[in-house]
Amino acid sequence: GDGAGILIQMPHEFFREVAAEAQIRLPGKGYYGSGLVFLPRDRKERDFCKRVFLKAVTNEGQVLLGWRSVPVDNTEIGNTARETEPVIEQVFIGRNRKLATDLSFERVLYGIRKKIEHTVRCAGLSQQSFFYITNLSCRTFSYKGLLMPGQLKTFFRDLGNERLKSSLCLVHSRYSTNTFPAWDLAQPFRFLAHNGEINTLRGNINWMRAREGLLRSEAFGKDLKSILPVIVPGGSDSAALDNVFELLVLGGRDIAHAMMMLIPAAWQENRFLSEELKGFYEYHSCITEPWDGPAAIAFTDGIRIGAVLDRNGLRPARYLLTKEGLVVMASEVGVLDIPAQEIIASGRLEPGKMFFIDTALGLIVDDEKIKEDIARRKPYHAWAKEKIVHLETLPAGLKASERPQEAIPLLLSSFGYTREDMRMIIRPMAAQGQEPIGSMGNDVPHAVLSLRPQLLYAYFKQLFAQVTNPAVDSIREELVMSLSVCLGPEQNMLTEGPEHCHKLKVDQPILTNEELSAIQSIQGNGFKTKSISILFNAKEESDFLKRLTAICKEAESAIRAGYTFLVLSDRGSNEQYAALPALLATATLHHHLIKQALRTQVSILLESAEPREVHHFALLFGYGADCVNPYLAYKAIASLCDEGDVSVDFSTARDNYRKAVAKGILKILSKMGISTLQSYRGAQIFEALGLHQEVIERSFPGTVSRIAGADFKTIARETIFRHEQAYKRQDIQADLLPHSGLYQWRKDGESHLWNPDSIAALQDASRTNDYARYKEFASCINNQEKGPVTLRSLFKFKETKPVPIAEVEPFEAIARRFVTGAMSFGSISRATHETIAIAMNQIGGKSNTGEGGEDPVRFSPRANGTCVRSAIKQVASGRFGVTTNYLVNADELQIKIAQGAKPGEGGQLPGHKVSATIAKIRYTTPGVTLISPPPHHDIYSIEDLAQLIFDLKNTNPSARISVKLVSEIGVGTVAAGVAKGHADMILVSGGDGGTGASPLSSIRHAGLPWELGLSEVHQTLVLNNLRNRVRLQTDGQMRTGRDVAIAAMLGAEEFGFCTSVLIVLGCVMLRHCHLNNCSVGIATQDEALERRFTGRPEHIIHYFRFVAEELREIMAQLGIKTVDELIGRSDLLALNQTILPWKAASIDYSKILYKPNHSSGQALYCTQRQDHGIGNVLDMQLIEASREVFSQKKSVAIQLPIRNTDRTTGAMLSGQVCKMFGEEGLPDNSIHCTFRGIAGQSFGAWLAKGITFELEGMANDYVGKGVSGGKIIIYPDRDCRYVPQDNVIIGNTGFYGAITGEAYIRGRAGERFCIRNSGIFAVVEGVGDHGCEYMTGGRVIVLGDTGRNFAAGMSGGIAYVYDPNRRFCKRCNLDMVELETLDMQDKELVARLLGNHVRFTKSALAATIADNFDKEADYFVKVMPFEYKRALGLGVAKAPAALAEISDG
Amino acid sequence: MADIKGFLTHKRKDALYRPVCERVKDFDEVYLARSEAQSLVQASRCMDCGTPFCNWGCPLGNYISEWNEYVSVDKWAHAWRLLKATNSLPEITGRVCPAPCEYACVLGINDDPVTVRENELAIAEYGCEKGLLRARPPKKRTGKKVAVIGSGPAGLSCADQLNNAGHRVVVFERDPKIGGILRYGIPDFKLEKSVLDQRVRVWEQEGIEFRTDTHVGQGVHIETLKREFDAFCLAGGCRLPRDLRIEGRELEGIHFAMDFLIQANKIVSGEKIPEGNSLHAKGKRVVVIGGGDTGADCVGVANRQGARCIIQIELLPQPPSCRGENMQWPKYPFLLKTSTSHEEGGRRYWSVMTKRFIGKNGRIEKLSCIKVGFDPHNRTLCPPMREIPDSEFEIEADLAILAMGFLQPEQGLLKELRLESDSRGNVKTDVSYMTSQKGIFAAGDMHRGQSLVVWAIAEGRNAAYYIDTYLMGTSSLMPPYGR
Ligand SMILES: Cc1cc2nc3c(=O)[nH]c(=O)nc-3n(C[C@H](O)[C@H](O)[C@H](O)COP(=O)(O)OP(=O)(O)OC[C@H]3O[C@@H](n4cnc5c(N)ncnc54)[C@H](O)[C@@H]3O)c2cc1C
Ligand SMILES: Cc1cc2nc3c(=O)[nH]c(=O)nc-3n(C[C@H](O)[C@H](O)[C@H](O)COP(=O)(O)O)c2cc1C
Ligand code: SF4
Ligand code: SF4
Ligand code: F3S
């Protein structure tokens, strides 16, 4: 019970009666307001609160009618809920007759509530956290609390009362994912309930804060100040959204209007919107940025009720309409039992669309109607057209003030440019417009530990979405993405007028010099630019901070003087004057202006030499920059062009570079599930690593920085040091930039833990089984005194009483805790993959398939008994090779949510690397590109993850289920959710772990080290009494026994190794894994290279023996005999103060080392099994009924009713079939099940060959995921009246990752039908957006309309769309496919499948088409991927669109 | 862009040499210049490793992978710019370096390593020929003055770096010409002296002053120099040869290798030779005692001087020709090397101990030797040995050359300065190359004992960094590795 609630119309009749019982006489409906109030338990404090109420109500000229104590029954609620349960009373406030309308009364009630909240907040009550006002309104009323939905009715006895009536009702059940459960965070809030997560929250809050200075409203009058801050601190994302929505609605906007402003549809690239509507959106984008993130939001003002879905449609919302006029909308169908004959329509809410009911009119208002209506209420379109100035239309500026012959190399080196920046970063961007790709992990020091001067950017790590909200695919789903920004001052958001959209619109915020100068030269027009220098006197350290302060002052006076654009500039640096870190200057100014409520009156443009990498730009935008002009990066490009290092001309190279940056930024946004730069700007989606609190508070408030570190002085010194070095160096080496040694090791570069000495030592040791040599290796890694790299290097073990080593548990016991991490066959060679599996099976550890499937040959031991099967089978977003058989042949099933080197990103194995062998194992066609989507399309939330865990557990009940997460702030809360979702093991992967291929910026800048993530997870689980239910594992740069010991002490019971095992097998850190060019035969599929592989299982076994031995020595020293006893003993670790490098002098590890008090008796490691609740699933009956099939290979027919609580039907049965009969399965139709009713999620998941599922009724999401040979037939209930092809019969994401089989669906499917289909043949009568996305094989026939973005990322298979009205073309994404007409073969196939469809589902639509097929065949469009065509040898096709060369792993 | 798959398409092509019959007739360099096209192909074999072990193996930390890439795409000037940044004498190491980098090359694990040294030479030659090697005097002068004593590779590279840093540098050399062993030890057929001359000219133009025929400690007094100079770098080499004190050592016709080579070099360059020309191998039966590189040079010189026959003997057993378990990649292995001089004639005996020189009339006539054996299980580099009974034999000789390595630096100047020395008699310094006397630094063989040119250069450059730091407080020169 994370919280539940219900919002209804004011039940006046009922209240009049119960109020009377409490001696309160209520006036007529609408003449009083009421709401539940959560009050402190302490009597005195409670009385105080009530006095505050009385005073506020009276002051506002209203009457406090009285308090009613609300009858509750808390016998059934949970422990946490009871501990924090407030006293709940209901207040009644009488309306002053002078207030003419309901709305004006609502405003007064709002003001009263705000004032009371403020007064109580400032009063310093000891039980302040108990105080909360749910909703003060004369129209709506809500009951809510820290309850489960089922408990609402028993807890609030009012709700059991028949007389309590409402014609609308909004119910919410919370699964808290980003904050911890609390009474006041239960939903619905005052106006809305939200299922989802606002990813841009920090920015939205800051921008709202900044806008407060401009707020004026006649409606609120001069009282407006008292409602500030609009967003109540400490609330959840949903609460904040409610706060702003409330302001807009009470400020006078229609509820639908307000929602369209805050959660706009993706309008920029939408070809189906009217000009007026686009104008509306464009106009409002000048007033507020979107609140971005996955969201299904229901909202009401008590009369009208609506629901919207975010632009990506990442939350399900299905609705039914009955004959009686009842509308039920919920995230699933089937939550209420409605007889089939009652249903007259079944639909779903579509991405960006609104569902709207006006109870006063008794009407459902169509999305288009309501929006067009609102869009035309004011001439928004005309205003936008007239007032928005487009950057391209500005006259050219004065020639950019190039200083004659600036010494480029000197400038470059004074801003810290290196040969690597030029060669590895800028060159590929300028030459190909691509972000550079690399491989393997990050083994260089964290910025705060490094002895070399670092740019401030290096102190920040990108955050990313995991589990609680999905990443977006910025390439394949480009239509939702936007980089455009509006510059110029904002207006009061409570009013509307043409001046609101007088803005300068910039489509791409990386400005060229010409663009910047055009902006700077704007004359008149209400725009005015002021340049502010961010140079400081490098000869005086104190000038650093002085300058920072001065910038803020100068900006303030510029704003007061009417300047609208501020250009922070570091042009003109010289020996004496160095530049402040641009990020510091930008962020400090941004926050200063927010605090002064001036921020929305100017735009901050940055003209800086510093930014060059994608990560730099992302940070600048994330901390408030509006546009950036990277002038030195352009010069660097020019010099690359001059020297012939880039073969295109300068302007092409520059545009390529800008394109690469733009792509990279979009990717960074999309990892967080954010679609528009406008809302990313200022959203601060970063965690700082190694910055002192003083810096955070002043310049980056709201950013997490857990280990403290560099303060202003340190940053100043670092900046000055780099600057001076450059000037000194130029006398000696003017013509050559230094090499940073970041991406490639260099003798004179940054230190790497994997270096020639450590690599050679480890290889020697494990080949010759020489422990002494291993100790040399371990000391290379463990002693980092001279140059610390890892956080853990700064630990020391405390002195305790040792035990003899003989008493410490032996290698064999420890080895069970060792695993090798996921490395796909595809990213590493077959020989390597098998060698690892053999070794791990021998020592009792586990190896992992990685995300590329596994050859079924390996499932059984070799003739000589050697076992080459990987015990862990990974399930990643691409679902390559994830067949039923694969799942049942596993001891552990690992759901890969994220990988340290590229969290939140998808991958791509380009067609030319998909060899015959790889294609076979992944069930695709050789030569066809394989794309792994950024998210799992069946995991958009933690509930979804729990569902997938359930699916997998059903398929293979004997396997444990694990979830791979990556360390970042908040991973603890996510892990708690995952533990509650019944994962058996959680892997917290370090952000610096290895990879087969990732963008360099992600390898370096995304994710945090496991020391932070693991300790956070462990502590959170202990605090929530969950630790003993789940095992923890960690990986990432794990190498030695000391690493293992520290991981255990921070909470891990298992340990993962990848790179070190590859090194043992011969890897020499060539870092060419992504190029298929590994000269030692490891990361390659090239046979000639694979032959060079010399690794042996023994080498790995030696290595793990050494690691265990070193661990045993440490344990003996610490006096600990078993690893279990070591887990969570962070009290035995301390910070080694003597070896702190200079920048880290004030580093603070207390958060990592914190040891929470756990309830006595609870172990600090896993002691219990999860209850997966698979004991009484429907499959038990199916298996029972199929007994004869298993024993005698007979065939059976089964008939059963089904309901939406029957989830994952068919998976367990299929698992059984595969276990008994292997991949072959059974003969067709051996088991034929017919169900009637509404099926729960994952109906027919991983259905095995020989099983047919027939469903009469409807189904929810994830029908037929991973189908491996089964057949699924779905048609409406015989009693239904509606026309099947116009109604939704199955939910979203049907047949995700299907392998083979057949499907016949009579009716429409939701979003993403047949996504990542490898081979199923399916017929359906209409699909939502993104149909056939990432498909690689199979055939899909769509007999009705499709949504937008059909065939995005579709590299294989064929779709046939029946398109008599010729509408399809606009809805198809033509990046990878072409549209053709059917040839003979196609016609045969389509006719045959149509015939089946008619036969199985009785589809009238299909019958009509089939009857007239000769003519109708012309109305079919064949959607054919070019690559597939080529692979099938069907002639030369167009070259595929240029895509980044990212392989998987 | 370079082809990262180059190593799969092209095989290593080793350096080509002039035919033996031709080259033994003169002292000209034995190499055949490689064509530019060949260089491009060979450089394209480099894999641009993420962890370039070559860079680790090269004491100078040359940016090998980077210049290989430039060569492979025909961008020589870029390559030159990178090469000169770390190496003060690439045209020398390109010729005489035994290339530890190649033994560490990643490609060498399961294929033939990249021809790093030759690529380096090709770049250096390009630089020298195309005028890229030209004087670039420092822009600013610091006003400090440093004396470098000894003009071997250590002294020269130290001087180069100090000059770059803006100090006035004077190099003192007791010999008539600059170069130390480069000049007088290494024969012309490996290193033509014009190469050295070109370099010295450039340095002179850059402002380095060379004072030859000036023996510091004899003639010029260091105390006088102290008045003129702010710091000193001692780079006098390690020249005290290991002697073979056995019966008959006093006989005529027994010489140290250096004496033989110096003389041979002077003859080639036309310098004045002291009277009594006994140190020529013409028509003689020559025995070179010592199987190392110096010995090999002596073989080559003796051949060219027209020796009747040449035998080289070595006490240690014949080293293996490929890596054993104790010499795993990427270590610099102790392997059997067949130098160009060995190809030119003469025989090599291993596991041979010389017991006596036997002479007539005070001149050597033969050597009495015995075979020795080693415990095959003992894999250390200096295993204990025993004489094999009844295996004595004799070798006839008119000229015996002792090429058994060097023990320690000459002690004169060091004694005078009362410098501390390490256990082997080399000059002892702290980590910053400073000797026990403040302001006096040491580098090269004098500091680390007998070694290689590439190490001498590295030492010289490191010392320069510390001298600069000593003089200025900080230094912008390239710091030593691992610092
Ligand atoms: C025959 C031979 C062949 C070799 N071949 C190779 C080879 O092919 N590759 C390789 O890498 N290495 C080779 N070496 C080793 C290499 O030459 C040396 O390690 C290197 O030259 C040492 O350099 P250095 O500057 O320390 O000393 P040196 O080169 O010995 O120079 C020292 C200089 O200091 C001068 N000097 C000494 N004392 C004084 C004083 N008091 N006042 C003035 N001047 C003084 C000496 O005259 C001499 O010129 C060879 C060595 C020998 C002997
Ligand atoms: C070549 C290679 C391929 C990888 N492929 C995958 C993969 O398919 N799925 C995955 O979750 N992680 C993958 N990883 C990440 C590892 O599973 C693991 O988290 C990481 O490498 C641990 O860090 P370490 O390499 O420093 O030990 C891969 C890593 C490497 C080195
Ligand atoms: S100096 Fe010697 S070790 Fe260094 S790169 Fe040249 S040949 Fe190789
Ligand atoms: S180790 Fe060999 S292949 Fe690798 S970069 Fe160096 S020279 Fe090239
Ligand atoms: S880094 Fe990759 S390319 Fe090969 S040598 Fe190691 S596996």
Side-chain angles (χ1 to χ4, degrees), chain B residues 2 4 37 42 44 102 113 138 184 302 316 335 340 345 349 390 395 430-431 449:
Chain B
I4 54 151
Q42 288 298 311
S44 79
E102 292 186 20
Y184 292 112
L316 292 173
L335 293 181
T340 55
Y349 296 147
D390 303 326
I395 304 173
D430 61 13
V431 284

PDB file of all heavy atoms in Angstrom, chain B residues 2 4 37 42 44 102 113 138 184 302 316 335 340 345 349 390 395 430-431 449:
ATOM      1  N   ALA B   2      43.486   5.909 -41.676  1.00  0.00           N
ATOM      2  CA  ALA B   2      44.277   4.682 -41.722  1.00  0.00           C
ATOM      3  C   ALA B   2      43.367   3.466 -41.704  1.00  0.00           C
ATOM      4  O   ALA B   2      42.266   3.502 -41.185  1.00  0.00           O
ATOM      5  CB  ALA B   2      45.215   4.649 -40.526  1.00  0.00           C
ATOM      6  N   ILE B   4      42.414   0.159 -40.235  1.00  0.00           N
ATOM      7  CA  ILE B   4      42.715  -0.573 -39.006  1.00  0.00           C
ATOM      8  C   ILE B   4      42.874  -2.060 -39.246  1.00  0.00           C
ATOM      9  O   ILE B   4      43.273  -2.791 -38.360  1.00  0.00           O
ATOM     10  CB  ILE B   4      41.640  -0.358 -37.921  1.00  0.00           C
ATOM     11  CG1 ILE B   4      40.269  -0.697 -38.474  1.00  0.00           C
ATOM     12  CG2 ILE B   4      41.696   1.023 -37.337  1.00  0.00           C
ATOM     13  CD1 ILE B   4      39.354  -1.170 -37.390  1.00  0.00           C
ATOM     14  N   ALA B  37      56.680   4.158 -50.290  1.00  0.00           N
ATOM     15  CA  ALA B  37      55.484   3.326 -50.428  1.00  0.00           C
ATOM     16  C   ALA B  37      55.541   2.169 -49.444  1.00  0.00           C
ATOM     17  O   ALA B  37      54.551   1.853 -48.780  1.00  0.00           O
ATOM     18  CB  ALA B  37      55.378   2.800 -51.858  1.00  0.00           C
ATOM     19  N   GLN B  42      53.992  -0.588 -44.317  1.00  0.00           N
ATOM     20  CA  GLN B  42      54.410  -1.120 -43.028  1.00  0.00           C
ATOM     21  C   GLN B  42      53.745  -0.364 -41.876  1.00  0.00           C
ATOM     22  O   GLN B  42      53.343  -0.958 -40.887  1.00  0.00           O
ATOM     23  CB  GLN B  42      55.938  -1.085 -42.910  1.00  0.00           C
ATOM     24  CG  GLN B  42      56.620  -2.127 -43.782  1.00  0.00           C
ATOM     25  CD  GLN B  42      56.229  -3.545 -43.382  1.00  0.00           C
ATOM     26  OE1 GLN B  42      56.270  -3.912 -42.214  1.00  0.00           O
ATOM     27  NE2 GLN B  42      55.819  -4.354 -44.362  1.00  0.00           N
ATOM     28  N   SER B  44      50.946   0.988 -41.933  1.00  0.00           N
ATOM     29  CA  SER B  44      49.513   0.699 -41.884  1.00  0.00           C
ATOM     30  C   SER B  44      49.242  -0.583 -41.105  1.00  0.00           C
ATOM     31  O   SER B  44      48.102  -0.896 -40.803  1.00  0.00           O
ATOM     32  CB  SER B  44      48.932   0.580 -43.287  1.00  0.00           C
ATOM     33  OG  SER B  44      49.244  -0.692 -43.818  1.00  0.00           O
ATOM     34  N   GLU B 102      59.389  -2.777 -30.183  1.00  0.00           N
ATOM     35  CA  GLU B 102      58.891  -3.836 -31.066  1.00  0.00           C
ATOM     36  C   GLU B 102      58.679  -5.129 -30.294  1.00  0.00           C
ATOM     37  O   GLU B 102      57.794  -5.912 -30.613  1.00  0.00           O
ATOM     38  CB  GLU B 102      59.857  -4.049 -32.233  1.00  0.00           C
ATOM     39  CG  GLU B 102      59.871  -2.856 -33.174  1.00  0.00           C
ATOM     40  CD  GLU B 102      60.711  -3.081 -34.429  1.00  0.00           C
ATOM     41  OE1 GLU B 102      60.977  -4.250 -34.780  1.00  0.00           O
ATOM     42  OE2 GLU B 102      61.119  -2.075 -35.046  1.00  0.00           O
ATOM     43  N   PRO B 113      55.753  -8.140 -35.137  1.00  0.00           N
ATOM     44  CA  PRO B 113      55.480  -6.765 -34.701  1.00  0.00           C
ATOM     45  C   PRO B 113      55.633  -5.759 -35.835  1.00  0.00           C
ATOM     46  O   PRO B 113      56.226  -6.048 -36.867  1.00  0.00           O
ATOM     47  CB  PRO B 113      56.523  -6.516 -33.613  1.00  0.00           C
ATOM     48  CG  PRO B 113      57.551  -7.559 -33.784  1.00  0.00           C
ATOM     49  CD  PRO B 113      56.879  -8.738 -34.420  1.00  0.00           C
ATOM     50  N   PRO B 138      65.139  29.109 -28.953  1.00  0.00           N
ATOM     51  CA  PRO B 138      64.081  29.448 -28.004  1.00  0.00           C
ATOM     52  C   PRO B 138      63.706  30.924 -28.108  1.00  0.00           C
ATOM     53  O   PRO B 138      64.536  31.766 -28.436  1.00  0.00           O
ATOM     54  CB  PRO B 138      64.691  29.126 -26.649  1.00  0.00           C
ATOM     55  CG  PRO B 138      66.155  29.072 -26.870  1.00  0.00           C
ATOM     56  CD  PRO B 138      66.360  28.640 -28.287  1.00  0.00           C
ATOM     57  N   TYR B 184      82.391   7.613 -31.455  1.00  0.00           N
ATOM     58  CA  TYR B 184      83.619   6.830 -31.458  1.00  0.00           C
ATOM     59  C   TYR B 184      83.408   5.354 -31.163  1.00  0.00           C
ATOM     60  O   TYR B 184      84.322   4.561 -31.313  1.00  0.00           O
ATOM     61  CB  TYR B 184      84.609   7.424 -30.440  1.00  0.00           C
ATOM     62  CG  TYR B 184      85.096   8.779 -30.874  1.00  0.00           C
ATOM     63  CD1 TYR B 184      84.739   9.926 -30.185  1.00  0.00           C
ATOM     64  CD2 TYR B 184      85.905   8.900 -32.015  1.00  0.00           C
ATOM     65  CE1 TYR B 184      85.175  11.176 -30.597  1.00  0.00           C
ATOM     66  CE2 TYR B 184      86.348  10.141 -32.435  1.00  0.00           C
ATOM     67  CZ  TYR B 184      85.980  11.292 -31.723  1.00  0.00           C
ATOM     68  OH  TYR B 184      86.410  12.503 -32.145  1.00  0.00           O
ATOM     69  N   ALA B 302      86.307  -5.589 -37.791  1.00  0.00           N
ATOM     70  CA  ALA B 302      87.439  -6.459 -38.125  1.00  0.00           C
ATOM     71  C   ALA B 302      87.276  -7.001 -39.535  1.00  0.00           C
ATOM     72  O   ALA B 302      88.225  -7.048 -40.307  1.00  0.00           O
ATOM     73  CB  ALA B 302      87.514  -7.601 -37.106  1.00  0.00           C
ATOM     74  N   LEU B 316      78.480 -17.335 -21.704  1.00  0.00           N
ATOM     75  CA  LEU B 316      77.124 -17.839 -21.430  1.00  0.00           C
ATOM     76  C   LEU B 316      76.666 -18.772 -22.553  1.00  0.00           C
ATOM     77  O   LEU B 316      77.199 -18.721 -23.653  1.00  0.00           O
ATOM     78  CB  LEU B 316      76.157 -16.668 -21.303  1.00  0.00           C
ATOM     79  CG  LEU B 316      76.374 -15.784 -20.086  1.00  0.00           C
ATOM     80  CD1 LEU B 316      75.465 -14.569 -20.150  1.00  0.00           C
ATOM     81  CD2 LEU B 316      76.124 -16.573 -18.804  1.00  0.00           C
ATOM     82  N   LEU B 335      67.375 -12.693 -26.229  1.00  0.00           N
ATOM     83  CA  LEU B 335      67.288 -13.661 -27.324  1.00  0.00           C
ATOM     84  C   LEU B 335      68.573 -13.660 -28.147  1.00  0.00           C
ATOM     85  O   LEU B 335      69.358 -12.716 -28.110  1.00  0.00           O
ATOM     86  CB  LEU B 335      66.130 -13.302 -28.260  1.00  0.00           C
ATOM     87  CG  LEU B 335      64.715 -13.422 -27.712  1.00  0.00           C
ATOM     88  CD1 LEU B 335      63.706 -13.046 -28.779  1.00  0.00           C
ATOM     89  CD2 LEU B 335      64.449 -14.828 -27.207  1.00  0.00           C
ATOM     90  N   THR B 340      73.897  -7.724 -38.364  1.00  0.00           N
ATOM     91  CA  THR B 340      74.433  -7.684 -39.733  1.00  0.00           C
ATOM     92  C   THR B 340      75.892  -8.075 -39.717  1.00  0.00           C
ATOM     93  O   THR B 340      76.381  -8.706 -40.645  1.00  0.00           O
ATOM     94  CB  THR B 340      74.315  -6.268 -40.317  1.00  0.00           C
ATOM     95  OG1 THR B 340      74.964  -5.345 -39.441  1.00  0.00           O
ATOM     96  CG2 THR B 340      72.864  -5.900 -40.492  1.00  0.00           C
ATOM     97  N   GLY B 345      80.308 -12.799 -41.589  1.00  0.00           N
ATOM     98  CA  GLY B 345      81.397 -13.776 -41.465  1.00  0.00           C
ATOM     99  C   GLY B 345      81.829 -13.945 -40.030  1.00  0.00           C
ATOM    100  O   GLY B 345      81.407 -13.215 -39.127  1.00  0.00           O
ATOM    101  N   TYR B 349      81.141 -18.956 -30.734  1.00  0.00           N
ATOM    102  CA  TYR B 349      81.124 -20.085 -29.803  1.00  0.00           C
ATOM    103  C   TYR B 349      80.443 -19.648 -28.524  1.00  0.00           C
ATOM    104  O   TYR B 349      80.690 -18.551 -28.017  1.00  0.00           O
ATOM    105  CB  TYR B 349      82.546 -20.552 -29.470  1.00  0.00           C
ATOM    106  CG  TYR B 349      83.311 -21.089 -30.662  1.00  0.00           C
ATOM    107  CD1 TYR B 349      84.689 -20.908 -30.749  1.00  0.00           C
ATOM    108  CD2 TYR B 349      82.662 -21.808 -31.681  1.00  0.00           C
ATOM    109  CE1 TYR B 349      85.406 -21.405 -31.828  1.00  0.00           C
ATOM    110  CE2 TYR B 349      83.375 -22.305 -32.758  1.00  0.00           C
ATOM    111  CZ  TYR B 349      84.749 -22.089 -32.834  1.00  0.00           C
ATOM    112  OH  TYR B 349      85.466 -22.576 -33.890  1.00  0.00           O
ATOM    113  N   ASP B 390      87.801 -32.228 -19.427  1.00  0.00           N
ATOM    114  CA  ASP B 390      88.404 -32.680 -20.688  1.00  0.00           C
ATOM    115  C   ASP B 390      87.841 -31.968 -21.909  1.00  0.00           C
ATOM    116  O   ASP B 390      87.789 -32.536 -22.991  1.00  0.00           O
ATOM    117  CB  ASP B 390      88.183 -34.200 -20.890  1.00  0.00           C
ATOM    118  CG  ASP B 390      88.744 -34.988 -19.728  1.00  0.00           C
ATOM    119  OD1 ASP B 390      89.776 -34.550 -19.179  1.00  0.00           O
ATOM    120  OD2 ASP B 390      88.106 -35.990 -19.351  1.00  0.00           O
ATOM    121  N   ILE B 395      92.401 -21.658 -29.325  1.00  0.00           N
ATOM    122  CA  ILE B 395      92.040 -20.862 -30.499  1.00  0.00           C
ATOM    123  C   ILE B 395      93.246 -20.007 -30.839  1.00  0.00           C
ATOM    124  O   ILE B 395      93.797 -19.323 -29.978  1.00  0.00           O
ATOM    125  CB  ILE B 395      90.850 -19.929 -30.210  1.00  0.00           C
ATOM    126  CG1 ILE B 395      89.650 -20.741 -29.707  1.00  0.00           C
ATOM    127  CG2 ILE B 395      90.477 -19.139 -31.451  1.00  0.00           C
ATOM    128  CD1 ILE B 395      88.487 -19.883 -29.247  1.00  0.00           C
ATOM    129  N   ASP B 430      69.428  11.433  -6.284  1.00  0.00           N
ATOM    130  CA  ASP B 430      68.087  11.245  -5.721  1.00  0.00           C
ATOM    131  C   ASP B 430      67.107  11.072  -6.889  1.00  0.00           C
ATOM    132  O   ASP B 430      67.529  10.998  -8.045  1.00  0.00           O
ATOM    133  CB  ASP B 430      67.706  12.432  -4.830  1.00  0.00           C
ATOM    134  CG  ASP B 430      67.685  13.750  -5.591  1.00  0.00           C
ATOM    135  OD1 ASP B 430      67.728  13.715  -6.842  1.00  0.00           O
ATOM    136  OD2 ASP B 430      67.626  14.819  -4.944  1.00  0.00           O
ATOM    137  N   VAL B 431      65.797  11.014  -6.603  1.00  0.00           N
ATOM    138  CA  VAL B 431      64.852  10.777  -7.698  1.00  0.00           C
ATOM    139  C   VAL B 431      64.894  11.875  -8.746  1.00  0.00           C
ATOM    140  O   VAL B 431      64.530  11.663  -9.891  1.00  0.00           O
ATOM    141  CB  VAL B 431      63.389  10.655  -7.211  1.00  0.00           C
ATOM    142  CG1 VAL B 431      63.155   9.312  -6.579  1.00  0.00           C
ATOM    143  CG2 VAL B 431      63.027  11.791  -6.278  1.00  0.00           C
ATOM    144  N   GLY B 449      74.592   3.208 -15.431  1.00  0.00           N
ATOM    145  CA  GLY B 449      75.465   2.120 -15.857  1.00  0.00           C
ATOM    146  C   GLY B 449      75.300   1.861 -17.337  1.00  0.00           C
ATOM    147  O   GLY B 449      74.448   2.460 -17.995  1.00  0.00           O
TER     148      GLY B 449
END
